[in-house]
mmCIF file of all heavy atoms in Angstrom:
data_model
loop_
_atom_site.group_PDB
_atom_site.id
_atom_site.type_symbol
_atom_site.label_atom_id
_atom_site.label_comp_id
_atom_site.label_asym_id
_atom_site.label_seq_id
_atom_site.Cartn_x
_atom_site.Cartn_y
_atom_site.Cartn_z
ATOM 1 N N MET A 52 43.944 3.744 -30.464
ATOM 2 C CA MET A 52 43.438 2.661 -29.610
ATOM 3 C C MET A 52 41.914 2.594 -29.701
ATOM 4 O O MET A 52 41.257 3.632 -29.637
ATOM 5 C CB MET A 52 43.869 2.923 -28.159
ATOM 6 C CG MET A 52 43.641 1.722 -27.254
ATOM 7 S SD MET A 52 44.409 1.947 -25.647
ATOM 8 C CE MET A 52 46.085 1.479 -26.029
ATOM 9 N N PRO A 53 41.386 1.411 -29.892
ATOM 10 C CA PRO A 53 39.937 1.301 -30.029
ATOM 11 C C PRO A 53 39.192 1.609 -28.731
ATOM 12 O O PRO A 53 39.710 1.400 -27.641
ATOM 13 C CB PRO A 53 39.717 -0.160 -30.433
ATOM 14 C CG PRO A 53 40.942 -0.878 -30.007
ATOM 15 C CD PRO A 53 42.061 0.116 -30.032
ATOM 16 N N VAL A 54 38.004 2.125 -28.905
ATOM 17 C CA VAL A 54 37.155 2.427 -27.758
ATOM 18 C C VAL A 54 35.887 1.609 -27.885
ATOM 19 O O VAL A 54 35.258 1.589 -28.937
ATOM 20 C CB VAL A 54 36.794 3.933 -27.715
ATOM 21 C CG1 VAL A 54 35.802 4.214 -26.603
ATOM 22 C CG2 VAL A 54 38.045 4.764 -27.523
ATOM 23 N N TYR A 55 35.546 0.921 -26.827
ATOM 24 C CA TYR A 55 34.336 0.118 -26.840
ATOM 25 C C TYR A 55 33.302 0.777 -25.954
ATOM 26 O O TYR A 55 33.603 1.200 -24.849
ATOM 27 C CB TYR A 55 34.628 -1.297 -26.349
ATOM 28 C CG TYR A 55 35.721 -1.961 -27.162
ATOM 29 C CD1 TYR A 55 36.964 -2.205 -26.618
ATOM 30 C CD2 TYR A 55 35.492 -2.300 -28.486
ATOM 31 C CE1 TYR A 55 37.971 -2.789 -27.363
ATOM 32 C CE2 TYR A 55 36.490 -2.890 -29.238
ATOM 33 C CZ TYR A 55 37.727 -3.122 -28.670
ATOM 34 O OH TYR A 55 38.721 -3.691 -29.416
ATOM 35 N N GLU A 56 32.109 0.844 -26.467
ATOM 36 C CA GLU A 56 31.037 1.474 -25.708
ATOM 37 C C GLU A 56 30.124 0.392 -25.158
ATOM 38 O O GLU A 56 29.704 -0.510 -25.875
ATOM 39 C CB GLU A 56 30.268 2.417 -26.622
ATOM 40 C CG GLU A 56 29.499 3.455 -25.850
ATOM 41 C CD GLU A 56 29.057 4.588 -26.754
ATOM 42 O OE1 GLU A 56 28.233 4.336 -27.641
ATOM 43 O OE2 GLU A 56 29.534 5.719 -26.570
ATOM 44 N N PHE A 57 29.836 0.523 -23.888
ATOM 45 C CA PHE A 57 28.957 -0.438 -23.237
ATOM 46 C C PHE A 57 27.741 0.267 -22.678
ATOM 47 O O PHE A 57 27.798 1.430 -22.300
ATOM 48 C CB PHE A 57 29.688 -1.149 -22.090
ATOM 49 C CG PHE A 57 30.755 -2.103 -22.556
ATOM 50 C CD1 PHE A 57 32.041 -1.662 -22.798
ATOM 51 C CD2 PHE A 57 30.464 -3.437 -22.753
ATOM 52 C CE1 PHE A 57 33.033 -2.526 -23.238
ATOM 53 C CE2 PHE A 57 31.439 -4.324 -23.184
ATOM 54 C CZ PHE A 57 32.721 -3.864 -23.425
ATOM 55 N N LYS A 58 26.645 -0.476 -22.620
ATOM 56 C CA LYS A 58 25.440 0.076 -22.024
ATOM 57 C C LYS A 58 24.958 -0.849 -20.925
ATOM 58 O O LYS A 58 24.854 -2.062 -21.126
ATOM 59 C CB LYS A 58 24.352 0.231 -23.089
ATOM 60 C CG LYS A 58 23.152 0.961 -22.534
ATOM 61 C CD LYS A 58 22.111 1.224 -23.592
ATOM 62 C CE LYS A 58 21.030 2.112 -23.007
ATOM 63 N NZ LYS A 58 19.899 2.300 -23.869
ATOM 64 N N CYS A 59 24.694 -0.275 -19.772
ATOM 65 C CA CYS A 59 24.190 -1.049 -18.648
ATOM 66 C C CYS A 59 22.715 -1.375 -18.887
ATOM 67 O O CYS A 59 21.926 -0.503 -19.229
ATOM 68 C CB CYS A 59 24.358 -0.239 -17.367
ATOM 69 S SG CYS A 59 23.664 -1.047 -15.932
ATOM 70 N N THR A 60 22.383 -2.643 -18.710
ATOM 71 C CA THR A 60 20.995 -3.036 -18.942
ATOM 72 C C THR A 60 20.125 -2.738 -17.730
ATOM 73 O O THR A 60 18.914 -2.827 -17.789
ATOM 74 C CB THR A 60 20.911 -4.532 -19.278
ATOM 75 O OG1 THR A 60 21.519 -5.290 -18.242
ATOM 76 C CG2 THR A 60 21.602 -4.837 -20.598
ATOM 77 N N LYS A 61 20.756 -2.388 -16.625
ATOM 78 C CA LYS A 61 19.989 -2.108 -15.410
ATOM 79 C C LYS A 61 19.591 -0.640 -15.297
ATOM 80 O O LYS A 61 18.432 -0.311 -15.093
ATOM 81 C CB LYS A 61 20.788 -2.522 -14.176
ATOM 82 C CG LYS A 61 20.772 -4.027 -13.966
ATOM 83 C CD LYS A 61 20.853 -4.368 -12.483
ATOM 84 C CE LYS A 61 20.463 -5.818 -12.250
ATOM 85 N NZ LYS A 61 20.863 -6.297 -10.923
ATOM 86 N N CYS A 62 20.587 0.247 -15.438
ATOM 87 C CA CYS A 62 20.283 1.675 -15.255
ATOM 88 C C CYS A 62 20.380 2.452 -16.560
ATOM 89 O O CYS A 62 20.023 3.617 -16.619
ATOM 90 C CB CYS A 62 21.190 2.287 -14.185
ATOM 91 S SG CYS A 62 22.897 2.502 -14.695
ATOM 92 N N GLY A 63 20.859 1.785 -17.610
ATOM 93 C CA GLY A 63 20.911 2.452 -18.909
ATOM 94 C C GLY A 63 22.121 3.330 -19.109
ATOM 95 O O GLY A 63 22.211 4.064 -20.087
ATOM 96 N N GLU A 64 23.056 3.269 -18.185
ATOM 97 C CA GLU A 64 24.270 4.078 -18.284
ATOM 98 C C GLU A 64 25.120 3.657 -19.479
ATOM 99 O O GLU A 64 25.324 2.469 -19.716
ATOM 100 C CB GLU A 64 25.072 3.929 -16.982
ATOM 101 C CG GLU A 64 26.430 4.588 -16.985
ATOM 102 C CD GLU A 64 26.347 6.077 -16.683
ATOM 103 O OE1 GLU A 64 25.247 6.632 -16.643
ATOM 104 O OE2 GLU A 64 27.411 6.675 -16.468
ATOM 105 N N LEU A 65 25.591 4.628 -20.222
ATOM 106 C CA LEU A 65 26.521 4.359 -21.318
ATOM 107 C C LEU A 65 27.924 4.709 -20.858
ATOM 108 O O LEU A 65 28.153 5.790 -20.333
ATOM 109 C CB LEU A 65 26.169 5.219 -22.530
ATOM 110 C CG LEU A 65 25.207 4.648 -23.575
ATOM 111 C CD1 LEU A 65 24.865 5.742 -24.578
ATOM 112 C CD2 LEU A 65 25.789 3.458 -24.290
ATOM 113 N N PHE A 66 28.863 3.788 -21.049
ATOM 114 C CA PHE A 66 30.232 4.105 -20.682
ATOM 115 C C PHE A 66 31.199 3.493 -21.682
ATOM 116 O O PHE A 66 30.856 2.563 -22.401
ATOM 117 C CB PHE A 66 30.549 3.655 -19.248
ATOM 118 C CG PHE A 66 30.416 2.155 -19.021
ATOM 119 C CD1 PHE A 66 31.538 1.337 -19.042
ATOM 120 C CD2 PHE A 66 29.179 1.599 -18.775
ATOM 121 C CE1 PHE A 66 31.427 -0.029 -18.815
ATOM 122 C CE2 PHE A 66 29.050 0.224 -18.556
ATOM 123 C CZ PHE A 66 30.180 -0.589 -18.573
ATOM 124 N N GLU A 67 32.387 4.064 -21.711
ATOM 125 C CA GLU A 67 33.366 3.634 -22.691
ATOM 126 C C GLU A 67 34.528 2.918 -22.030
ATOM 127 O O GLU A 67 34.944 3.271 -20.933
ATOM 128 C CB GLU A 67 33.906 4.844 -23.454
ATOM 129 C CG GLU A 67 32.866 5.459 -24.346
ATOM 130 C CD GLU A 67 33.294 6.821 -24.845
ATOM 131 O OE1 GLU A 67 34.375 7.302 -24.472
ATOM 132 O OE2 GLU A 67 32.516 7.410 -25.610
ATOM 133 N N VAL A 68 35.026 1.918 -22.734
ATOM 134 C CA VAL A 68 36.206 1.195 -22.278
ATOM 135 C C VAL A 68 37.241 1.276 -23.380
ATOM 136 O O VAL A 68 36.974 0.908 -24.525
ATOM 137 C CB VAL A 68 35.872 -0.274 -21.971
ATOM 138 C CG1 VAL A 68 37.142 -1.065 -21.643
ATOM 139 C CG2 VAL A 68 34.891 -0.371 -20.804
ATOM 140 N N MET A 69 38.401 1.815 -23.033
ATOM 141 C CA MET A 69 39.453 1.950 -24.017
ATOM 142 C C MET A 69 40.440 0.792 -23.867
ATOM 143 O O MET A 69 40.853 0.474 -22.756
ATOM 144 C CB MET A 69 40.175 3.283 -23.801
ATOM 145 C CG MET A 69 40.697 3.888 -25.074
ATOM 146 S SD MET A 69 41.593 5.402 -24.742
ATOM 147 C CE MET A 69 40.251 6.498 -24.310
ATOM 148 N N GLY A 70 40.778 0.170 -24.945
ATOM 149 C CA GLY A 70 41.769 -0.895 -24.832
ATOM 150 C C GLY A 70 41.767 -1.850 -25.994
ATOM 151 O O GLY A 70 41.156 -1.611 -27.031
ATOM 152 N N SER A 71 42.449 -2.930 -25.788
ATOM 153 C CA SER A 71 42.646 -3.920 -26.839
ATOM 154 C C SER A 71 41.419 -4.807 -26.997
ATOM 155 O O SER A 71 40.423 -4.662 -26.289
ATOM 156 C CB SER A 71 43.856 -4.779 -26.498
ATOM 157 O OG SER A 71 43.645 -5.430 -25.274
ATOM 158 N N TYR A 72 41.547 -5.757 -27.898
ATOM 159 C CA TYR A 72 40.473 -6.721 -28.122
ATOM 160 C C TYR A 72 40.211 -7.518 -26.853
ATOM 161 O O TYR A 72 39.069 -7.791 -26.502
ATOM 162 C CB TYR A 72 40.868 -7.660 -29.263
ATOM 163 C CG TYR A 72 39.810 -8.669 -29.616
ATOM 164 C CD1 TYR A 72 38.728 -8.289 -30.415
ATOM 165 C CD2 TYR A 72 39.887 -9.976 -29.161
ATOM 166 C CE1 TYR A 72 37.756 -9.217 -30.744
ATOM 167 C CE2 TYR A 72 38.921 -10.911 -29.486
ATOM 168 C CZ TYR A 72 37.851 -10.520 -30.276
ATOM 169 O OH TYR A 72 36.888 -11.441 -30.600
ATOM 170 N N ALA A 73 41.278 -7.863 -26.142
ATOM 171 C CA ALA A 73 41.159 -8.621 -24.893
ATOM 172 C C ALA A 73 40.358 -7.836 -23.864
ATOM 173 O O ALA A 73 39.609 -8.396 -23.071
ATOM 174 C CB ALA A 73 42.546 -8.947 -24.344
ATOM 175 N N GLU A 74 40.518 -6.529 -23.901
ATOM 176 C CA GLU A 74 39.814 -5.659 -22.962
ATOM 177 C C GLU A 74 38.307 -5.714 -23.234
ATOM 178 O O GLU A 74 37.495 -5.697 -22.320
ATOM 179 C CB GLU A 74 40.323 -4.226 -23.142
ATOM 180 C CG GLU A 74 40.022 -3.315 -21.974
ATOM 181 C CD GLU A 74 40.811 -3.692 -20.722
ATOM 182 O OE1 GLU A 74 41.945 -4.193 -20.817
ATOM 183 O OE2 GLU A 74 40.256 -3.482 -19.652
ATOM 184 N N ARG A 75 37.963 -5.822 -24.475
ATOM 185 C CA ARG A 75 36.563 -5.880 -24.871
ATOM 186 C C ARG A 75 35.913 -7.174 -24.387
ATOM 187 O O ARG A 75 34.737 -7.203 -24.050
ATOM 188 C CB ARG A 75 36.459 -5.782 -26.398
ATOM 189 C CG ARG A 75 35.060 -5.509 -26.871
ATOM 190 C CD ARG A 75 34.981 -5.617 -28.365
ATOM 191 N NE ARG A 75 34.995 -7.003 -28.806
ATOM 192 C CZ ARG A 75 34.682 -7.412 -30.038
ATOM 193 N NH1 ARG A 75 34.380 -6.516 -30.949
ATOM 194 N NH2 ARG A 75 34.702 -8.667 -30.364
ATOM 195 N N GLU A 76 36.709 -8.241 -24.414
ATOM 196 C CA GLU A 76 36.179 -9.553 -24.050
ATOM 197 C C GLU A 76 35.982 -9.706 -22.545
ATOM 198 O O GLU A 76 35.269 -10.579 -22.099
ATOM 199 C CB GLU A 76 37.130 -10.645 -24.554
ATOM 200 C CG GLU A 76 37.205 -10.705 -26.070
ATOM 201 C CD GLU A 76 35.882 -11.098 -26.702
ATOM 202 O OE1 GLU A 76 35.458 -12.234 -26.511
ATOM 203 O OE2 GLU A 76 35.264 -10.246 -27.380
ATOM 204 N N LYS A 77 36.636 -8.851 -21.795
ATOM 205 C CA LYS A 77 36.520 -8.920 -20.336
ATOM 206 C C LYS A 77 35.154 -8.453 -19.882
ATOM 207 O O LYS A 77 34.485 -7.692 -20.575
ATOM 208 C CB LYS A 77 37.588 -8.014 -19.694
ATOM 209 C CG LYS A 77 38.924 -8.724 -19.511
ATOM 210 C CD LYS A 77 39.794 -7.948 -18.537
ATOM 211 C CE LYS A 77 40.937 -7.261 -19.237
ATOM 212 N NZ LYS A 77 41.626 -6.298 -18.400
ATOM 213 N N ALA A 78 34.802 -8.900 -18.688
ATOM 214 C CA ALA A 78 33.537 -8.465 -18.112
ATOM 215 C C ALA A 78 33.719 -7.081 -17.505
ATOM 216 O O ALA A 78 34.681 -6.832 -16.787
ATOM 217 C CB ALA A 78 33.086 -9.455 -17.060
ATOM 218 N N HIS A 79 32.814 -6.182 -17.833
ATOM 219 C CA HIS A 79 32.912 -4.830 -17.313
ATOM 220 C C HIS A 79 31.690 -4.517 -16.459
ATOM 221 O O HIS A 79 30.575 -4.919 -16.791
ATOM 222 C CB HIS A 79 33.015 -3.829 -18.452
ATOM 223 C CG HIS A 79 34.298 -3.961 -19.219
ATOM 224 N ND1 HIS A 79 35.498 -3.519 -18.732
ATOM 225 C CD2 HIS A 79 34.552 -4.518 -20.423
ATOM 226 C CE1 HIS A 79 36.446 -3.796 -19.618
ATOM 227 N NE2 HIS A 79 35.905 -4.402 -20.649
ATOM 228 N N ALA A 80 31.944 -3.816 -15.399
ATOM 229 C CA ALA A 80 30.854 -3.434 -14.514
ATOM 230 C C ALA A 80 30.470 -1.986 -14.775
ATOM 231 O O ALA A 80 31.299 -1.163 -15.130
ATOM 232 C CB ALA A 80 31.272 -3.618 -13.063
ATOM 233 N N CYS A 81 29.216 -1.718 -14.609
ATOM 234 C CA CYS A 81 28.703 -0.366 -14.788
ATOM 235 C C CYS A 81 29.309 0.566 -13.741
ATOM 236 O O CYS A 81 29.290 0.254 -12.555
ATOM 237 C CB CYS A 81 27.180 -0.400 -14.666
ATOM 238 S SG CYS A 81 26.430 1.226 -14.606
ATOM 239 N N PRO A 82 29.872 1.702 -14.171
ATOM 240 C CA PRO A 82 30.491 2.633 -13.225
ATOM 241 C C PRO A 82 29.455 3.353 -12.364
ATOM 242 O O PRO A 82 29.793 3.970 -11.357
ATOM 243 C CB PRO A 82 31.243 3.623 -14.122
ATOM 244 C CG PRO A 82 30.551 3.551 -15.438
ATOM 245 C CD PRO A 82 29.995 2.160 -15.560
ATOM 246 N N ARG A 83 28.214 3.290 -12.766
ATOM 247 C CA ARG A 83 27.177 4.026 -12.054
ATOM 248 C C ARG A 83 26.513 3.173 -10.968
ATOM 249 O O ARG A 83 26.416 3.586 -9.823
ATOM 250 C CB ARG A 83 26.127 4.489 -13.067
ATOM 251 C CG ARG A 83 25.127 5.468 -12.502
ATOM 252 C CD ARG A 83 24.410 6.134 -13.664
ATOM 253 N NE ARG A 83 23.113 6.657 -13.275
ATOM 254 C CZ ARG A 83 22.198 7.050 -14.152
ATOM 255 N NH1 ARG A 83 22.435 6.932 -15.444
ATOM 256 N NH2 ARG A 83 21.059 7.537 -13.761
ATOM 257 N N CYS A 84 26.067 1.965 -11.357
ATOM 258 C CA CYS A 84 25.356 1.144 -10.382
ATOM 259 C C CYS A 84 26.125 -0.117 -10.015
ATOM 260 O O CYS A 84 25.736 -0.847 -9.114
ATOM 261 C CB CYS A 84 23.966 0.788 -10.907
ATOM 262 S SG CYS A 84 23.976 -0.408 -12.255
ATOM 263 N N GLY A 85 27.245 -0.364 -10.701
ATOM 264 C CA GLY A 85 28.078 -1.504 -10.347
ATOM 265 C C GLY A 85 27.591 -2.821 -10.905
ATOM 266 O O GLY A 85 28.180 -3.862 -10.635
ATOM 267 N N SER A 86 26.535 -2.794 -11.703
ATOM 268 C CA SER A 86 26.013 -4.024 -12.281
ATOM 269 C C SER A 86 26.939 -4.560 -13.367
ATOM 270 O O SER A 86 27.530 -3.803 -14.128
ATOM 271 C CB SER A 86 24.626 -3.748 -12.855
ATOM 272 O OG SER A 86 24.209 -4.855 -13.638
ATOM 273 N N ALA A 87 27.050 -5.882 -13.415
ATOM 274 C CA ALA A 87 27.881 -6.493 -14.454
ATOM 275 C C ALA A 87 27.046 -6.830 -15.677
ATOM 276 O O ALA A 87 27.549 -7.382 -16.651
ATOM 277 C CB ALA A 87 28.555 -7.737 -13.896
ATOM 278 N N GLU A 88 25.783 -6.499 -15.623
ATOM 279 C CA GLU A 88 24.899 -6.780 -16.754
ATOM 280 C C GLU A 88 24.970 -5.642 -17.755
ATOM 281 O O GLU A 88 24.117 -4.758 -17.791
ATOM 282 C CB GLU A 88 23.467 -6.972 -16.250
ATOM 283 C CG GLU A 88 23.310 -8.267 -15.470
ATOM 284 C CD GLU A 88 21.910 -8.402 -14.883
ATOM 285 O OE1 GLU A 88 20.937 -8.081 -15.591
ATOM 286 O OE2 GLU A 88 21.809 -8.821 -13.727
ATOM 287 N N VAL A 89 26.030 -5.677 -18.550
ATOM 288 C CA VAL A 89 26.215 -4.637 -19.554
ATOM 289 C C VAL A 89 26.281 -5.266 -20.940
ATOM 290 O O VAL A 89 26.720 -6.395 -21.112
ATOM 291 C CB VAL A 89 27.489 -3.805 -19.275
ATOM 292 C CG1 VAL A 89 27.365 -3.063 -17.958
ATOM 293 C CG2 VAL A 89 28.729 -4.671 -19.290
ATOM 294 N N LYS A 90 25.821 -4.498 -21.904
ATOM 295 C CA LYS A 90 25.860 -4.950 -23.293
ATOM 296 C C LYS A 90 26.789 -4.035 -24.060
ATOM 297 O O LYS A 90 26.847 -2.834 -23.812
ATOM 298 C CB LYS A 90 24.461 -4.870 -23.918
ATOM 299 C CG LYS A 90 23.575 -6.047 -23.577
ATOM 300 C CD LYS A 90 22.458 -6.193 -24.595
ATOM 301 C CE LYS A 90 21.584 -4.950 -24.731
ATOM 302 N NZ LYS A 90 20.391 -5.206 -25.538
ATOM 303 N N GLN A 91 27.476 -4.598 -25.031
ATOM 304 C CA GLN A 91 28.339 -3.747 -25.823
ATOM 305 C C GLN A 91 27.519 -2.978 -26.839
ATOM 306 O O GLN A 91 26.657 -3.530 -27.517
ATOM 307 C CB GLN A 91 29.415 -4.563 -26.529
ATOM 308 C CG GLN A 91 30.556 -3.670 -26.994
ATOM 309 C CD GLN A 91 31.473 -4.342 -27.979
ATOM 310 O OE1 GLN A 91 31.472 -5.545 -28.136
ATOM 311 N NE2 GLN A 91 32.265 -3.538 -28.654
ATOM 312 N N ALA A 92 27.781 -1.705 -26.916
ATOM 313 C CA ALA A 92 27.104 -0.856 -27.884
ATOM 314 C C ALA A 92 28.046 -0.653 -29.079
ATOM 315 O O ALA A 92 28.975 -1.423 -29.288
ATOM 316 C CB ALA A 92 26.727 0.471 -27.233
ATOM 317 N N ILE A 93 27.823 0.401 -29.805
ATOM 318 C CA ILE A 93 28.603 0.654 -31.012
ATOM 319 C C ILE A 93 30.062 0.956 -30.688
ATOM 320 O O ILE A 93 30.353 1.678 -29.750
ATOM 321 C CB ILE A 93 28.013 1.863 -31.763
ATOM 322 C CG1 ILE A 93 26.512 1.681 -31.931
ATOM 323 C CG2 ILE A 93 28.695 2.046 -33.110
ATOM 324 C CD1 ILE A 93 25.748 2.992 -31.965
ATOM 325 N N SER A 94 30.944 0.409 -31.468
ATOM 326 C CA SER A 94 32.358 0.722 -31.324
ATOM 327 C C SER A 94 32.658 2.023 -32.047
ATOM 328 O O SER A 94 32.403 2.156 -33.231
ATOM 329 C CB SER A 94 33.196 -0.404 -31.915
ATOM 330 O OG SER A 94 34.533 0.021 -32.035
ATOM 331 N N LEU A 95 33.196 2.976 -31.292
ATOM 332 C CA LEU A 95 33.505 4.266 -31.888
ATOM 333 C C LEU A 95 34.665 4.150 -32.876
ATOM 334 O O LEU A 95 34.762 4.912 -33.816
ATOM 335 C CB LEU A 95 33.870 5.266 -30.786
ATOM 336 C CG LEU A 95 32.777 5.561 -29.758
ATOM 337 C CD1 LEU A 95 33.320 6.529 -28.708
ATOM 338 C CD2 LEU A 95 31.544 6.165 -30.411
ATOM 339 N N PHE A 96 35.506 3.172 -32.610
ATOM 340 C CA PHE A 96 36.685 3.002 -33.452
ATOM 341 C C PHE A 96 36.292 2.599 -34.870
ATOM 342 O O PHE A 96 36.724 3.188 -35.841
ATOM 343 C CB PHE A 96 37.592 1.934 -32.837
ATOM 344 C CG PHE A 96 38.863 1.697 -33.619
ATOM 345 C CD1 PHE A 96 39.877 2.651 -33.617
ATOM 346 C CD2 PHE A 96 39.047 0.533 -34.332
ATOM 347 C CE1 PHE A 96 41.047 2.437 -34.324
ATOM 348 C CE2 PHE A 96 40.224 0.310 -35.042
ATOM 349 C CZ PHE A 96 41.220 1.266 -35.034
ATOM 350 N N SER A 97 35.426 1.579 -34.966
ATOM 351 C CA SER A 97 35.065 1.084 -36.289
ATOM 352 C C SER A 97 34.086 2.032 -36.982
ATOM 353 O O SER A 97 33.914 1.976 -38.187
ATOM 354 C CB SER A 97 34.455 -0.309 -36.174
ATOM 355 O OG SER A 97 33.309 -0.268 -35.375
ATOM 356 N N ALA A 98 33.437 2.897 -36.191
ATOM 357 C CA ALA A 98 32.469 3.816 -36.768
ATOM 358 C C ALA A 98 33.159 5.064 -37.321
ATOM 359 O O ALA A 98 32.570 5.806 -38.094
ATOM 360 C CB ALA A 98 31.440 4.226 -35.714
ATOM 361 N N ALA A 99 34.397 5.277 -36.909
ATOM 362 C CA ALA A 99 35.110 6.458 -37.358
ATOM 363 C C ALA A 99 35.505 6.336 -38.831
ATOM 364 O O ALA A 99 35.865 5.248 -39.289
ATOM 365 C CB ALA A 99 36.362 6.666 -36.511
ATOM 366 N N PRO A 100 35.415 7.410 -39.571
ATOM 367 C CA PRO A 100 35.782 7.367 -40.989
ATOM 368 C C PRO A 100 37.283 7.172 -41.158
ATOM 369 O O PRO A 100 38.062 7.655 -40.349
ATOM 370 C CB PRO A 100 35.361 8.736 -41.525
ATOM 371 C CG PRO A 100 35.339 9.618 -40.334
ATOM 372 C CD PRO A 100 34.967 8.740 -39.166
ATOM 373 N N PRO A 101 37.690 6.458 -42.187
ATOM 374 C CA PRO A 101 39.118 6.223 -42.415
ATOM 375 C C PRO A 101 39.847 7.507 -42.797
ATOM 376 O O PRO A 101 39.290 8.377 -43.460
ATOM 377 C CB PRO A 101 39.140 5.214 -43.567
ATOM 378 C CG PRO A 101 37.852 5.400 -44.275
ATOM 379 C CD PRO A 101 36.853 5.834 -43.222
ATOM 380 N N ARG A 102 41.062 7.610 -42.324
ATOM 381 C CA ARG A 102 41.878 8.788 -42.660
ATOM 382 C C ARG A 102 42.501 8.600 -44.032
ATOM 383 O O ARG A 102 43.152 7.599 -44.287
ATOM 384 C CB ARG A 102 42.979 8.990 -41.623
ATOM 385 C CG ARG A 102 42.454 9.528 -40.322
ATOM 386 C CD ARG A 102 43.557 9.423 -39.266
ATOM 387 N NE ARG A 102 42.999 9.525 -37.911
ATOM 388 C CZ ARG A 102 43.020 10.658 -37.197
ATOM 389 N NH1 ARG A 102 43.528 11.736 -37.695
ATOM 390 N NH2 ARG A 102 42.502 10.670 -35.986
ATOM 391 N N SER A 103 42.317 9.550 -44.883
ATOM 392 C CA SER A 103 42.838 9.409 -46.244
ATOM 393 C C SER A 103 44.102 10.218 -46.426
ATOM 394 O O SER A 103 44.655 10.278 -47.509
ATOM 395 C CB SER A 103 41.781 9.838 -47.263
ATOM 396 O OG SER A 103 41.314 11.127 -46.966
ATOM 397 N N TYR A 104 44.553 10.896 -45.365
ATOM 398 C CA TYR A 104 45.775 11.665 -45.506
ATOM 399 C C TYR A 104 46.753 11.383 -44.373
ATOM 400 O O TYR A 104 46.375 10.754 -43.413
ATOM 401 C CB TYR A 104 45.477 13.167 -45.574
ATOM 402 C CG TYR A 104 44.645 13.680 -44.418
ATOM 403 C CD1 TYR A 104 45.241 14.196 -43.266
ATOM 404 C CD2 TYR A 104 43.248 13.638 -44.502
ATOM 405 C CE1 TYR A 104 44.478 14.657 -42.222
ATOM 406 C CE2 TYR A 104 42.488 14.100 -43.448
ATOM 407 C CZ TYR A 104 43.106 14.619 -42.300
ATOM 408 O OH TYR A 104 42.345 15.054 -41.273
HETATM 409 ZN ZN1 ZN B 969 24.201 0.586 -14.322
#
């Protein structure tokens, strides 16, 4: 399952959201300060190396 990483633009908190593509498109609030002003950071899923075995 893909993991999306978000960064809060207010407090700088980094948090992960696990789920489908639809989950990524949803608005997420910062778990630390509750702000909805978050930006998506690097996707850990697409950054992971492909399994060759
Ligand atoms: Zn925050």
Side-chain angles (χ1 to χ4, degrees):
M52 192 170 278
V54 174
Y55 304 110
E56 201 165 66
F57 290 87
K58 187 175 187 187
C59 176
T60 56
K61 283 211 165 165
C62 72
E64 174 82 351
L65 269 173
F66 61 99
E67 291 167 358
V68 174
M69 212 183 288
S71 60
Y72 182 80
E74 198 68 32
R75 194 188 76 167
E76 294 296 293
K77 274 196 252 168
H79 293 285
C81 171
R83 190 164 157 193
C84 72
S86 169
E88 290 176 42
V89 296
K90 279 202 303 190
Q91 198 194 344
I93 310 150
S94 168
L95 298 178
F96 181 72
S97 60
R102 286 168 198 261
S103 53
Y104 54 92

